[in-house]
RNA sequence: GCGCCCGUAGCUCAACCGGAUAGAGCACCUGCCUUCUAAGCAGGGGGUUGCAGGUUCGACUCCUGCCGGGCGCGCCA
């Protein structure tokens, strides 16, 4: 199914071809000047440059042919050679009618049978999920939904931090506190207990204490390092203890990500590649890529045309231990083997890891691991407080994730009370609606900002029902739902009669395919947010200025209800791509 | 020292591959509720796009040099 802009580009492109010009120059796009026209084509200027002709003369040749086309109500040349186009109401209505009942709202499927893996969790074992985990989860999940909607088999991998020094720090801390536990007895032959002798809260508490102890005391740090090495070498008691960490942590992470509405298909972590690392290292050695440097084993990643210094990827530290470079590269190696249809891996992490991923990607290319796989790193910016510095709680701490969601829910609830909204809801419905609005507020605000820039986290602003916010979008969508409920049954494929007041909304509804394609191509969900907001606003304007239920002309009423239904369908689709749900009432 | 990112309205942010008069939201001002959810709608004011050059029909966008802010640069992840 071609989008409207594609249809128009074909028409205009064909005319360019008639004049011996490339069809691509006939590309039509939505006009920059809606006061002058609905659509424009800039190809005449480019063609004139190539053929060294007068742009207006070229445009005139093209326009002469277009004027006879029944699709256009108006074809004009403006300025240096812009071709401005307006559609007839019939043509526009005909196009919209064609996508009215399309569950994809006119967006074509772009791919089939190919797998894209997204690595976006990055949460750590034994460490409470906090505000810093918001962006990778929200952005990664949205990108995954977009990739999936495009037709790919999209897999989200949480890639937990479960194998580094923190594990050794916690294990050694437990060993100091509870040396009598069977996990630490060298002569114990098992089996180890099924249930851990501690709960998740204890684990969460112990980690920062152990971490601090190691910072202050080199001897303590050495203990932790040794424990890490022993764990990685498979010491049974440590592995049994580590299994407890995993079980408790995953349960807690699931609770948090479920509350946020973010999901993972793959719950793997750094530890999962531990066993393949020796063989992988041998392969790298055989390829001559693993070289010694200052006692460590590294992969050089400098290129001849590099202007900057780029350090090698650290594969084995001088003490033989792994780094996150080791596990990231080995994970890549495993993923490529595991998913034969893999065409792309998208990593969503803090942008401060830019250099690390450049190193990993270069190493992977040198090792020919990814000859058929594209690697993409989306580095996101910092979440700042009102002072422009990294967001902290009042007492200077890091806000826990569950606190963050609860804060958003509370704020949403306050706003609902202020607005006297949803007063007839039951307590359960009220709380659930407040929760949905809170999550929508946070996700929309996060996605609205370009991923790579830092942004100011302002909970009052993002939960506001006014302005470019999640709640505003939901509010408009709920108004449509309410309207459609009142309208009752109506002809599903009613013909569209586009009056003056309906035109702007109708025109906007044709733009989703290009918006989606652009957002997907550049990995920019904020483009989708912007469109969603424009659509909500355009609907609101339409709603404020046009009679719908009270419209006496039955066919016009049906046509307007059809527009409402399409607007709701698109709002539902675009918000779902952001991981945002729309309540029935609010 | 080297490298990456950012600098646009009072504030928070957009601007598709170099296109027309740089757009939204907030805040401010003026109208509109006996009609479908007024936390809505209609309208208004507000800009030397950090600075200085360059490339061309045309630059927020590309190039060079400055100024200001953030971040990174082998054995943490």
């Amino acid at each position: 199914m071609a989008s409207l802009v594609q249809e128009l580009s074909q028409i205009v492109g064909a005319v360019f071809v008639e004049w011996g010009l490339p069809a691509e120059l006939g590309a039509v796009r939505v006009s920059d000047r809606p006061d002058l026209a609905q659509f424009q084509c800039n190809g005449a200027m480019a063609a004139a440059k190539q053929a060294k002709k007068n742009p207006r003369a070229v445009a005139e040749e093209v326009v002469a042919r277009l004027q006879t086309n029944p699709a256009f109500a108006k074809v004009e040349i403006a300025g240096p050679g812009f071709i401005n186009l307006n559609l007839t109401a019939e043509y526009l209505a005909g196009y919209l009618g064609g996508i009215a009942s399309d569950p994809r709202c006119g967006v074509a499927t772009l791919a089939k049978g190919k797998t894209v893996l997204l690595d976006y969790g990055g949460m750590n074992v034994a460490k409470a999920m906090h505000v810093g985990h918001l962006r990778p989860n929200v952005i990664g999940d949205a990108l995954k939904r977009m990739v999936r909607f495009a037709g790919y088999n999209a897999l989200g991998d949480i890639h937990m931090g479960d194998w580094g020094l923190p594990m050794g720090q916690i294990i050694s801390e437990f060993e100091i506190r509870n040396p009598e536990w069977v996990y630490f007895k060298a002569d114990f032959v098992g089996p180890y207990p099924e249930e851990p002798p501690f709960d998740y809260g204890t684990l969460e508490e112990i980690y920062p204490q152990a971490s601090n102890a190691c910072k202050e005391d080199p001897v303590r740090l050495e203990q932790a390092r040794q424990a890490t090495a022993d764990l990685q070498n498979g010491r049974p008691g440590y592995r049994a203890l580590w299994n407890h960490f995993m079980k408790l942590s995953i349960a807690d992470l699931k609770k948090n990500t479920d509350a946020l509405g973010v999901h993972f298909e793959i719950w793997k972590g750094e530890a999962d590649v531990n066993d393949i690392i020796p063989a992988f290292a041998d392969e790298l050695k055989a390829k001559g890529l693993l070289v010694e440097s200052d006692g460590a084993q590294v992969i050089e990643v400098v290129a001849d045309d590099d202007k900057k210094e780029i350090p090698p990827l650290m594969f084995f530290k001088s003490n033989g231990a792994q780094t996150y470079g080791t596990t990231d590269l080995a994970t890549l190696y495993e993923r490529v083997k595991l998913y034969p249809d893999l065409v792309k891996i998208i990593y969503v992490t803090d942008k401060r890891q830019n250099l690390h991923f450049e190193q990993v990607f270069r190493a992977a290319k040198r090792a020919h691991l990814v000859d058929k796989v594209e690697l993409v790193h989306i580095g996101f910016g910092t979440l700042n407080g009102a002072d422009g510095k990294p967001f902290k709680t009042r007492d200077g701490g890091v806000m826990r994730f569950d606190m963050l969601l609860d804060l958003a829910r509370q704020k949403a609830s306050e706003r609902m009370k202020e607005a006297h909204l949803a007063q007839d809801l039951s307590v359960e419905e009220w709380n659930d609606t407040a929760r949905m609005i809170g999550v929508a507020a946070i996700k929309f605000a996060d996605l609205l900002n370009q991923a790579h820039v830092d942004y100011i986290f302002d909970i009052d602003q993002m939960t506001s029902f006014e302005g470019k916010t999640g709640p505003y979008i939901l509010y408009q969508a709920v108004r449509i739902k309410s309207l459609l409920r009142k309208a009752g049954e109506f002809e599903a494929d009613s013909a569209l009669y586009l009056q003056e007041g309906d035109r702007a909304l109708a025109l906007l509804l044709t733009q989703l395919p290009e918006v989606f394609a652009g957002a997907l191509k550049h990995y920019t969900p904020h483009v989708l947010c912007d469109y969603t907001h424009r659509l909500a606003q355009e609907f609101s304007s339409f709603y404020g200025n046009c009679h719908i239920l009270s419209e006496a002309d039955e066919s016009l009423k049906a046509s307007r209800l059809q527009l409402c239904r399409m607007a709701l369908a698109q709002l539902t689709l675009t918000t779902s791509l952001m991981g945002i749900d729309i309540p029935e009432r609010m």
Side-chain angles (χ1 to χ4, degrees):
Chain A
M1 186 186 300
S3 70
L4 180 57
V5 161
Q6 281 170 342
E7 272 187 18
L8 299 177
S9 295
Q10 259 167 22
I11 294 172
V12 179
V15 174
F16 270 73
V17 170
E18 278 182 52
W19 286 98
L21 299 165
E24 303 84 69
L25 291 180
V28 170
R29 55 190 231 181
V30 173
S31 177
D32 290 333
R33 294 284 304 274
D35 54 321
L36 298 181
Q38 296 169 339
F39 298 91
Q40 65 180 336
C41 170
N42 297 349
M45 290 180 291
K49 201 169 200 170
Q50 283 176 22
K52 298 197 194 295
K53 290 166 83 174
N54 178 347
R56 284 191 74 99
V58 175
E60 269 163 35
E61 289 168 348
V62 174
V63 164
R65 297 291 176 93
L66 290 176
Q67 267 159 345
T68 59
N69 193 303
F72 303 113
K74 191 179 81 177
V75 183
E76 293 181 333
I77 302 167
F82 295 101
I83 299 172
N84 284 338
L85 305 164
N86 270 8
L87 298 178
T88 61
E90 293 71 28
Y91 189 87
L92 178 57
Y95 175 80
L96 274 180
I99 61 166
S101 54
D102 178 12
R104 297 182 60 86
C105 298
V107 179
T109 301
L110 303 173
K112 238 177 191 166
K114 290 175 177 168
T115 297
V116 174
L117 194 145
L118 296 99
D119 182 324
Y120 57 86
M123 282 85 89
N124 298 313
V125 164
K127 200 170 159 191
M129 203 169 152
H130 56 82
V131 65
H133 295 117
L134 181 67
R135 301 211 76 192
N137 278 282
V138 170
I139 296 167
D141 184 65
L143 289 174
K144 184 179 78 183
R145 289 165 187 264
M146 286 160 61
V147 165
R148 181 170 292 159
F149 184 66
Y152 293 94
N153 174 33
L155 302 173
D157 187 346
I158 187 169
H159 198 63
M160 276 177 288
D162 60 4
W163 209 231
L165 183 64
M167 298 302 106
Q169 289 174 329
I170 300 166
I171 290 171
S172 52
E173 187 69 21
F174 272 124
E175 188 155 13
I176 290 164
R177 295 183 186 198
N178 313 88
E180 73 284 4
W181 284 1
V182 293
Y183 307 100
F184 308 121
K185 300 235 186 297
D187 55 348
F188 188 75
V189 292
Y192 292 95
E194 288 278 316
E195 293 303 316
F198 49 87
D199 61 12
Y200 182 70
T202 311
L203 195 55
E204 217 180 71
E205 210 178 285
I206 274 190
Y207 170 60
Q209 290 172 9
S211 173
N212 286 335
C214 289
K215 265 180 212 158
E216 287 161 14
D217 180 3
V219 177
R220 179 70 188 78
L221 178 62
E222 196 41 48
Q223 265 180 302
R225 284 202 172 126
Q226 188 55 49
T228 308
D230 290 348
L231 171 72
Q232 293 182 355
N233 289 328
R235 179 168 159 170
Y238 285 8
R239 288 300 280 261
L241 201 53
W242 179 84
N243 284 333
H244 291 327
F245 302 168
M246 292 302 287
K247 191 176 166 188
L248 293 170
S249 296
I250 287 173
D252 189 73
L253 286 172
K254 280 211 161 111
K255 207 169 66 192
N256 276 300
T257 52
D258 281 354
L260 184 65
V262 163
H263 307 286
F264 298 94
E265 283 67 35
I266 304 169
W267 282 77
K268 286 194 173 182
E270 296 164 340
D272 286 278
V273 291
N274 187 59
D275 296 343
I276 66 167
I277 284 175
F280 179 45
D282 287 344
E283 241 179 78
L284 292 172
K285 262 178 215 156
K287 289 179 182 170
L289 295 174
L290 215 52
V291 296
E292 204 195 299
S293 171
D294 294 340
Q297 300 279 312
V298 304
I299 301 174
E300 289 292 348
V301 295
V302 282
D304 294 336
D305 54 349
D306 273 336
K307 283 178 185 162
K308 61 181 175 184
E309 303 162 24
I310 178 158
L313 184 79
M314 179 71 55
F315 199 83
F316 288 130
K317 296 193 269 195
S318 44
N319 70 354
Q322 305 159 16
T323 73
Y324 74 138
T326 322
T327 50
D328 276 348
L329 198 61
T331 301
L332 218 163
Y333 171 79
E334 190 199 34
R335 284 170 178 167
V336 171
K337 289 203 164 178
L338 226 43
Y339 307 103
D341 298 321
L342 190 66
V343 292
K344 192 181 293 195
I345 304 177
I346 301 171
Y347 295 84
V348 182
T349 77
D350 190 303
K351 68 180 175 187
R352 284 175 294 193
Q353 292 189 34
N354 278 348
L355 179 58
H356 167 69
F357 280 100
E358 186 168 1
Q359 290 172 301
V360 171
F361 292 178
R362 285 185 182 210
K365 279 170 198 158
R366 282 200 67 195
H368 291 287
L369 300 180
V370 289
D371 292 345
K372 290 183 215 159
V373 181
E374 186 189 350
L375 300 176
V376 179
H377 178 231
I378 306 296
F380 55 82
T382 312
L383 222 151
N384 289 332
D387 56 358
K389 291 178 182 164
F391 181 77
K392 299 277 188 220
T393 53
R394 279 198 202 91
D395 57 2
V398 176
M399 184 173 281
R400 290 174 57 104
F401 204 80
D402 44 7
M403 298 296 290
L404 180 74
L405 291 186
D406 200 52
L407 179 64
R409 185 190 56 72
Q410 279 175 32
K411 290 279 180 186
S413 189
E414 282 169 26
R415 300 294 175 123
M416 285 162 73
K417 275 178 196 151
E418 286 163 25
H420 306 294
L421 284 177
Q423 288 174 314
D424 53 342
L425 294 185
S426 68
V427 178
E428 292 78 30
E429 283 177 302
W430 173 280
N431 286 332
D432 200 43
T433 304
R435 186 191 57 75
M436 289 168 83
I437 295 173
V439 170
I442 287 180
K443 285 185 171 176
F444 190 83
D446 196 87
L447 293 170
L448 181 61
N449 291 284
Q450 294 188 64
H452 73 277
V453 300
D454 301 341
Y455 80 94
I456 292 177
F457 185 85
D458 181 345
I459 192 80
D460 290 313
Q461 186 278 327
M462 64 180 71
T463 54
S464 170
F465 282 54
E466 294 172 32
K468 222 166 171 175
T469 68
Y472 174 86
I473 309 290
L474 297 190
Y475 178 69
Q476 300 307 340
V478 164
R479 291 215 292 186
I480 307 178
K481 287 192 180 186
S482 169
L483 187 68
L484 293 175
R485 264 197 304 271
K486 285 187 177 151
E489 291 295 311
F490 64 95
E491 226 18 72
D493 52 353
S494 315
L496 292 164
Y497 301 97
L498 302 176
Q499 307 295 311
E500 196 57 36
D502 312 341
R503 206 71 57 80
L505 178 59
L507 210 49
L508 189 58
L509 286 169
T510 67
Q511 293 176 19
L512 183 59
E514 272 68 37
V515 168
F516 175 74
L520 181 72
K521 183 179 177 189
H522 303 291
Y523 312 104
T524 46
H526 80 274
V527 170
L528 214 50
C529 291
D530 185 68
Y531 176 77
T532 303
H533 177 253
R534 278 192 290 145
L535 181 56
Q537 227 175 11
E538 201 60 74
F539 167 77
S540 192
S541 173
F542 168 73
Y543 181 88
N545 295 316
C546 291
H547 294 279
I548 302 168
L549 295 180
S550 58
E551 174 55 52
D553 180 337
E554 282 300 322
S555 53
L556 181 54
K557 177 178 168 183
S559 166
R560 287 187 170 156
L561 282 170
Q562 181 79 290
L563 282 179
C564 290
R565 229 184 36 182
M566 291 180 75
L568 178 61
Q570 288 203 3
L571 289 174
T572 305
L573 174 59
T574 58
T575 52
S576 81
L577 293 174
M578 302 168 201
I580 291 172
D581 297 320
I582 301 171
E584 282 312 303
R585 295 184 294 168
M586 64 184 266

